[in-house]
Amino acid sequence: MNSYTVNVATGHQMFSGTDNYIYITLIGTEQCSDKVLLDKSLYDDFESGAVDSYEVKVGQDLGQLVLVKIEKQNYWIQDAWYCRYITVKTPSGEHVEFPCYRWLVDDKNVVLRDGKARLPQDDENILVKQQRQKELEIRRMTYRWKEWQPGFPMSIDANKETELPWDIQFTTKKGISFVLNYTKAIGNLCVNKFMNMFQSSWNDLADFESIFLTIKNSNIEYVMQHWKEDSMFGYQFLNGCNPVLIEKCFKLPDKLPVTHEMVSSSLERNLTLEQELEAGNIFICDYELLDGISANSTDPNTQQYLIAPICLLYKNTQNKIVPIAIQLSQTPGKDAPIFLPSDAHYDWLLAKIWVRSSDFQIHQTVTHLLRTHLISEMFAIAMFRQLPAVHPVFKLLIPHVRFTIAINTKAREELICEGGLFDKANAIGGGGHVQIIQKVMKTLTFRSLCFPDMIRMRGMDNNEEIPKYFYRDDGYRVWEATKSFVSDVMCIYYSNDERVQGDGEIQAFVKDVSDFGMQDSDSGGFPKCLNSREELIEYLTVIVFTASAQHAAVNFGQFDWFSWIPNAPSTMRKPPPNQKGLATLSLIMESLPDRGRSCWHLGAVWALSQYQENELFLGMYPDVHFTEGRVKAAMEKFRKELAGISESIKIRDEKKRMPYYYLRPDKIPNSVAI
């Protein structure tokens, strides 16, 4: 009689354990054991993190142990059980680990492979080949594509977060309701009394300070004190919440007829505007994407406005980026004056406020929602559909899609749906957010998701010409560390390009993204196949970086930069001025969000800036999907590189009045989960 010792590691939750019966079957290359009922008196007492041992007696020789089947049968009460992993000590003394990290729900069973990652072409045993295929067949039935809105990236086929598979739902029901989170945020910020005061304007800019009685930090206070300054306005294009739009400008577009005479008082090098353009000192932010997008009309009592301004910026002799001209329309003419720093104080201030409001709309819908949340979900669904748990790319990516499908499903349920929370305070709500994503999707490219390419395409890659662009500098370092880690892991399994080409599962994965996730968009250049290790490494780096660093850079600074309402108005209630000399403080106050919308906006940016409970930051991989020593060594190397980056950023930020910590690795969550 052969004796196998089976260790079962439970997870963080077990419901109604007395109604569960857990069976295990050991499957070898020669035989499989009988189905064994585990001693119920032991697993009734499972606690979080516990590992319990059982003896399984087998009369026959199983051969090499390749699979473990877990079955759960429950009686009376329908419940669920979470298994982290199973280890088996064979009669020869070998320890084999079988990662699980899955829920067993109702009468579900799970078949596990041992922890060593394998490509499909490396499987020779017919049992494991069949199991590999069966796993994917089940996954494709479970993770189905659905078009939430025409022209959007495809999403998961689920209307509610509770309809999702247990394995991708939030592990706690705490903190996943946008309605509850926003209401809680408004309560924490002590602004409840303003919550329903729609149509009630603030009296003065200083009135906005009345909603900052409880929560402040050094960044918020600095923004409050300096938001009117041109240097602060320009700084945000580099290191604010939306540092991805500014471009170097070598030739003015015809639609922005700025002359040297208009801006000469702002130029500091005794050069003409044409010469400053040639020297690379002029930059532009064009909000053309907002042109033609419908403004929010869900509140019949409040007219709201959206515009598509163009802002011209200048690098002065102190290497600061400052605005030198603003046109509040895409169409030049007498009704679209070009506002200048030399104009009357309130004219110039109102023009800048309009740009900041437009920047907020682009940030919320394109930079944040589309280019991190929806894109990450698309990659996640394709991963579940095409890569089995034994595939090294599945093991690499699974920590970086944690809760992403769940948070997006919840957003479609409560936040961006018709009548959702997004409609309450945002000028681009009420359908405009759908229109702009549909518009952007027509030109979204895979290369724009590659961080170095995205920086280079905007002409912003030279750190000597454009210093203090911390988003770029920190982003480069995190990108390179991530790419190095991905390369270290992938080179273990792909010894050459032919190994990539011969991996049918990885080819199906990228094809699923292109053909279904991106709806076969020819203009985007999303790969339909991968022909080399380098292409695979870059592709996977894009996925990991987008879900972690890019999302962190554009999400967790929202409260810092957007909580001071005049610096990032979520809506504007008066039309933009069509001539100079009209702006007054009264017009500005009537244009800015009313008290009710201000409070909803404040609650939103506070809630969205909070980390998850028990957050896992970049490089933290507590679930042991990989069991190979070489991969664990690569993970340790990655963590050390990230720690070095974090430490150098901390040292740099000690000397800064406004620290830039959004791309500090110890503040970058692994995945899009908020």
Side-chain angles (χ1 to χ4, degrees):
M1 183 70 69
N2 295 308
S3 178
Y4 291 78
T5 303
V6 178
N7 295 317
V8 180
T10 190
H12 31 261
Q13 295 185 48
M14 185 175 183
F15 301 108
S16 306
T18 54
D19 294 305
N20 281 317
Y21 288 84
I22 307 297
Y23 297 86
I24 281 188
T25 304
L26 305 181
I27 303 170
T29 53
E30 302 296 329
Q31 299 281 343
C32 65
S33 73
D34 294 331
K35 183 166 68 173
V36 177
L37 173 64
L38 299 185
D39 186 344
K40 196 167 183 295
S41 65
L42 292 176
Y43 62 77
D44 277 352
D45 297 324
F46 265 166
E47 296 179 358
S48 177
V51 179
D52 292 85
S53 294
Y54 310 88
E55 290 294 318
V56 177
K57 303 290 186 180
V58 179
Q60 64 271 46
D61 180 15
L62 300 183
Q64 181 186 353
L65 185 62
V66 291
L67 300 170
V68 170
K69 183 178 182 179
I70 317 173
E71 297 178 70
K72 184 182 76 69
Q73 295 179 5
N74 53 268
Y75 296 86
W76 303 108
I77 298 173
Q78 299 293 305
D79 58 7
W81 176 65
Y82 185 82
C83 177
R84 291 189 294 134
Y85 60 84
I86 289 176
T87 59
V88 180
K89 182 182 178 182
T90 68
S92 66
E94 179 187 10
H95 287 81
V96 186
E97 188 164 334
F98 295 82
C100 184
Y101 304 105
R102 287 182 239 177
W103 287 98
L104 278 78
V105 184
D106 302 330
D107 291 330
K108 180 180 177 181
N109 67 75
V110 171
V111 179
L112 306 177
R113 292 281 299 268
D114 71 272
K116 184 179 179 181
R118 292 176 178 85
L119 301 183
Q121 58 263 49
D122 295 334
D123 276 340
E124 297 178 354
N125 182 276
I126 188 65
L127 284 175
V128 295
K129 284 185 175 182
Q130 290 174 344
Q131 173 54 33
R132 192 171 191 133
Q133 188 58 39
K134 184 177 180 181
E135 180 184 353
L136 289 178
E137 289 171 358
I138 294 171
R139 290 255 211 87
R140 288 169 190 145
M141 290 188 291
T142 305
Y143 296 86
R144 301 175 304 277
W145 292 112
K146 179 181 179 180
E147 184 181 62
W148 184 68
Q149 292 285 350
F152 269 47
M154 294 284 270
S155 55
I156 195 73
D157 185 7
N159 295 318
K160 297 180 179 179
E161 191 254 342
T162 53
E163 295 176 4
L164 295 172
W166 272 69
D167 291 335
I168 60 170
Q169 289 187 33
F170 286 100
T171 53
T172 171
K173 298 305 173 189
K174 231 177 119 183
I176 60 166
S177 168
F178 286 104
V179 174
L180 292 177
N181 283 358
Y182 283 25
T183 305
K184 177 184 175 183
I186 289 167
N188 288 345
L189 296 165
C190 299
V191 293
N192 312 61
K193 60 184 178 181
F194 303 119
M195 195 169 163
N196 296 310
M197 297 177 67
F198 291 94
Q199 291 83 51
S200 173
S201 297
W202 302 92
N203 297 317
D204 187 88
L205 290 170
D207 279 3
F208 285 104
E209 293 187 32
S210 64
I211 57 178
F212 279 97
L213 300 177
T214 57
I215 298 180
K216 287 185 183 180
N217 63 42
S218 58
N219 277 6
I220 291 172
E221 291 179 349
Y222 196 81
V223 171
M224 291 170 62
Q225 294 164 6
H226 299 279
W227 71 280
K228 294 181 184 179
E229 298 169 10
D230 288 353
S231 58
M232 173 60 82
F233 178 87
Y235 178 84
Q236 294 179 73
F237 289 106
L238 298 179
N239 300 308
C241 241
N242 198 24
V244 300
L245 294 185
I246 186 171
E247 298 182 32
K248 186 174 281 190
C249 180
F250 292 103
K251 184 180 184 302
L252 293 181
D254 293 340
K255 62 184 179 182
L256 184 65
V258 174
T259 66
H260 173 72
E261 289 70 28
M262 290 179 182
V263 298
S264 59
S265 61
S266 297
L267 307 181
E268 299 179 352
R269 295 182 177 85
N270 294 319
L271 299 175
T272 65
L273 176 58
E274 186 64 32
Q275 290 170 327
E276 294 280 18
L277 284 161
E278 292 174 0
N281 295 322
I282 303 297
F283 301 83
I284 194 168
C285 239
D286 188 349
Y287 296 90
E288 185 178 14
L289 288 173
L290 290 169
D291 195 30
I293 301 299
S294 303
N296 192 339
S297 60
T298 57
D299 182 354
N301 297 312
T302 302
Q303 180 77 41
Q304 299 180 66
Y305 296 89
L306 266 181
I307 65 166
I310 309 171
C311 181
L312 201 65
L313 300 123
Y314 173 63
K315 184 184 73 173
N316 64 22
T317 53
Q318 289 79 47
N319 285 326
K320 292 182 178 180
I321 302 293
V322 294
I324 58 172
I326 294 172
Q327 181 175 285
L328 300 180
S329 170
Q330 291 288 307
T331 306
K334 62 182 182 63
D335 291 330
I338 296 173
F339 292 94
L340 307 168
S342 55
D343 289 338
H345 172 73
Y346 287 128
D347 278 350
W348 183 235
L349 181 61
L350 182 55
K352 290 192 293 181
I353 289 172
W354 269 107
V355 171
R356 293 296 308 140
S357 182
S358 298
D359 194 79
F360 176 82
Q361 314 304 329
I362 294 290
H363 169 271
Q364 294 289 290
T365 54
V366 180
T367 306
H368 185 208
L369 175 59
L370 172 60
R371 293 178 63 90
T372 63
H373 277 259
L374 301 184
I375 291 297
S376 291
E377 178 184 7
M378 177 186 71
F379 285 126
I381 296 169
M383 181 203 75
F384 281 114
R385 288 171 51 82
Q386 304 300 341
L387 300 177
V390 73
H391 199 289
V393 172
F394 180 93
K395 291 172 180 280
L396 177 80
L397 295 183
I398 190 68
H400 301 287
V401 301
R402 179 176 180 255
F403 300 147
T404 299
I405 297 175
I407 196 68
N408 285 3
T409 303
K410 202 68 180 177
R412 287 186 287 269
E413 186 182 344
E414 295 181 351
L415 185 62
I416 59 175
C417 56
E418 184 176 353
L421 293 173
F422 201 76
D423 292 352
K424 285 189 176 292
N426 297 320
I428 206 166
H433 60 303
V434 174
Q435 294 174 17
I436 195 167
I437 289 177
Q438 291 168 333
K439 186 176 185 178
V440 174
M441 278 292 291
K442 294 176 182 177
T443 57
L444 179 67
T445 67
F446 177 76
R447 296 252 52 97
S448 72
L449 299 175
C450 302
F451 186 81
D453 292 49
M454 180 265 287
I455 297 291
R456 188 166 49 250
M457 285 187 290
R458 294 185 291 112
M460 302 294 292
D461 51 315
N462 191 315
N463 59 4
E464 292 184 0
E465 293 180 2
I466 311 164
K468 298 182 181 179
Y469 190 9
F470 305 117
Y471 164 73
R472 173 201 61 204
D473 300 340
D474 297 352
Y476 274 151
R477 297 179 69 187
V478 176
W479 170 273
E480 288 302 323
T482 303
K483 187 176 182 181
S484 177
F485 168 61
V486 171
S487 177
D488 288 346
V489 175
M490 288 299 102
C491 287
I492 295 171
Y493 303 98
Y494 297 94
S495 55
N496 51 48
D497 295 344
E498 288 72 26
R499 296 273 288 168
V500 176
Q501 297 164 13
D503 183 347
E505 290 170 352
I506 205 69
Q507 300 299 338
F509 168 55
V510 298
K511 194 172 191 304
D512 212 16
V513 169
S514 175
D515 290 0
F516 290 93
M518 288 297 294
Q519 303 200 52
D520 203 19
S521 172
D522 293 330
S523 61
F526 279 74
K528 294 181 181 292
C529 64
L530 298 175
N531 295 310
S532 68
R533 275 197 316 188
E534 188 54 40
E535 288 180 2
L536 173 65
I537 290 164
E538 181 182 62
Y539 193 91
L540 299 179
T541 303
V542 165
I543 298 173
V544 175
F545 186 87
T546 299
S548 57
Q550 184 61 23
H551 179 256
V554 302
N555 180 75
F556 291 102
Q558 291 192 71
F559 193 63
D560 287 354
W561 292 103
F562 296 161
S563 58
W564 180 243
I565 308 295
N567 188 59
S570 61
T571 191
M572 296 290 276
R573 297 179 297 136
K574 292 291 182 182
N578 57 10
Q579 56 182 289
K580 296 185 180 185
L582 296 180
T584 61
L585 178 59
S586 176
L587 177 61
I588 289 175
M589 300 314 300
E590 291 171 5
S591 299
L592 289 170
D594 55 40
R595 295 169 193 258
R597 286 179 177 82
S598 296
C599 294
W600 277 105
H601 167 84
L602 194 61
V605 298
W606 184 86
L608 291 171
S609 299
Q610 305 307 301
Y611 292 106
Q612 286 285 339
E613 187 178 356
N614 301 317
E615 189 72 80
L616 296 177
F617 295 97
L618 191 58
M620 295 172 62
Y621 303 121
D623 291 355
V624 186
H625 292 279
F626 285 106
T627 59
E628 297 95 313
R630 291 174 67 188
V631 181
K632 292 180 178 180
M635 289 178 175
E636 185 59 29
K637 175 188 169 188
F638 185 37
R639 282 189 282 269
K640 286 181 179 178
E641 286 188 37
L642 295 175
I645 296 171
S646 292
E647 187 59 31
S648 66
I649 291 174
K650 288 179 185 177
I651 293 170
R652 178 197 70 199
D653 283 351
E654 286 175 358
K655 305 170 186 176
K656 289 177 55 59
R657 290 177 296 180
M658 285 201 71
Y660 184 84
Y661 42 69
Y662 311 117
L663 281 172
R664 207 174 82 194
D666 61 354
K667 287 182 170 290
I668 299 175
N670 269 330
S671 63
V672 176
I674 186 66

